[in-house]
Amino acid sequence: MKHLARLAGILGLIGCQEKLTSPADCPALCPGGEAQILDEVLSPIVGADSSFRGYVQPFNALALLVSNGLRGYEERAIIRFPRRADSVIVRDTLRSYIIDSVAFGLTLVARDTNSTGLQVQLYRLPRTLDTTTTYAQVEPAFVPENLITTIAVPDSVNSGALRAVLQGADLARVVIPPADSGVLGLGVRIDAPTPTGVRLGSSASGTGAVFTTYATLNIPDTGTAKLRSFVLNAAFNSSLSAVQQTDDSTLLMVGGEPSSRALLRFDLPPRIRDSATVVRATLELT
């Protein structure tokens, strides 16, 4: 391993000071002497330190990572909403509706506060998005023809709700054909004058994307129109990276996507395990 880790501890060897008051004081039973303070430097066991990847998969993460070349490549977010019914039951009758408008809601968790001109772009993607979907599979869909809308993020907004509303002719971009079973797939990318990245809320954190449909129901037997809204929370979301992270066998990897953790193992000598109390320990990593 091309890394260095050690554990330095200050050990207190405490002499027994117990006094037996009943039936009598027997100092011979209790070794005397003062506490000894020692420094001990321990190196990790060679070959026993390891990295383990996959503790949290991107589709279970608390935030979706989206970037436009921050590390030399792009990261995108994908979202799939559950089925939107094409009719509703009113007064025991199944009735169709006319869509007046739709709205998309996202949560900006964090961004680079030094970056300006940030835009969040929403694209129409296939409805088959799931945990097996790769960046290469959806990349061809991120074309101008599939752009649904662009949300301009004010430079003063570092976190909070992002919302886009479509109505009129713009509704054609989110028409859900019957063959898609009422399921809408969404792709998210960002655009900015310089490479940057953002974190968006995910379903796992309770701040996932929301797709709301506002519709009008015509009720002939009452002569009135009823307004309804259909709110759908994301059923699936994940982050996709154009470049998969590779592990370096000479280094311990921590973090990343999917996240990794590292384990270090130290062999404590018997004099520490049996006769000492560790009063302070410091871990040094390179």
Side-chain angles (χ1 to χ4, degrees):
M1 295 286 181
K2 295 180 181 177
H3 67 277
L4 175 62
R6 66 179 186 175
L7 187 65
I10 297 180
L11 313 176
L13 302 179
I14 309 299
C16 175
Q17 299 298 324
E18 180 182 7
K19 292 184 178 298
L20 304 179
T21 58
S22 177
D25 187 7
C26 300
L29 299 178
C30 184
E34 299 295 330
Q36 300 180 38
I37 305 299
L38 303 175
D39 286 340
E40 187 81 20
V41 177
L42 303 176
S43 296
I45 301 173
V46 176
D49 46 0
S50 308
S51 292
F52 298 88
R53 186 175 295 281
Y55 280 91
V56 179
Q57 295 293 330
F59 48 83
N60 289 328
L62 297 181
L64 303 177
L65 307 180
V66 188
S67 66
N68 66 330
L70 185 61
R71 292 184 287 179
Y73 52 86
E74 290 207 1
E75 293 175 288
R76 311 270 176 83
I78 57 174
I79 303 168
R80 188 189 73 238
F81 294 99
R83 177 180 179 271
R84 184 183 67 189
D86 57 4
S87 56
V88 293
I89 295 179
V90 179
R91 300 177 63 183
D92 299 327
T93 302
L94 194 63
R95 306 176 188 272
S96 60
Y97 56 82
I98 299 174
I99 297 176
D100 298 323
S101 61
V102 300
F104 293 99
L106 301 173
T107 300
L108 178 63
V109 177
R111 60 172 288 186
D112 179 4
T113 56
N114 293 321
S115 177
T116 60
L118 177 65
Q119 294 183 334
V120 177
Q121 301 174 338
L122 306 183
Y123 286 80
R124 183 72 176 267
L125 295 189
R127 65 181 179 89
T128 55
L129 304 173
D130 58 22
T131 58
T132 65
T133 301
T134 65
Y135 184 97
Q137 290 174 332
V138 299
E139 170 61 15
F142 283 87
V143 293
E145 294 77 14
N146 290 336
L147 180 63
I148 297 175
T149 188
T150 297
I151 306 174
V153 182
D155 296 340
S156 60
V157 175
N158 299 327
S159 63
L162 303 178
R163 195 167 188 265
V165 178
L166 281 74
Q167 54 189 355
D170 293 338
L171 289 175
R173 304 172 190 168
V174 289
V175 171
I176 305 177
D180 285 351
S181 304
V183 176
L184 178 67
L186 202 66
V188 184
R189 72 180 298 271
I190 62 171
D191 185 44
T194 57
T196 188
V198 301
R199 284 188 289 153
L200 300 176
S202 70
S203 299
S205 65
T207 58
V210 178
F211 175 40
T212 305
T213 300
Y214 301 94
T216 301
L217 285 74
N218 292 319
I219 316 292
D221 52 345
T222 63
T224 60
K226 299 293 184 181
L227 301 178
R228 286 288 180 91
S229 61
F230 309 98
V231 181
L232 300 176
N233 296 309
F236 170 79
N237 55 201
S238 185
S239 299
L240 301 178
S241 176
V243 177
Q244 295 299 313
Q245 288 190 344
T246 58
D247 294 335
D248 187 338
S249 61
T250 66
L251 298 172
L252 292 177
M253 307 297 294
V254 180
E257 180 189 2
S259 62
S260 61
R261 299 177 183 176
L263 294 179
L264 294 169
R265 297 170 176 86
F266 295 87
D267 186 13
L268 297 180
R271 64 181 178 278
I272 295 180
R273 296 197 305 266
D274 302 336
S275 307
T277 298
V278 178
V279 295
R280 188 178 69 187
T282 302
L283 178 64
E284 297 182 4
L285 299 171
T286 300

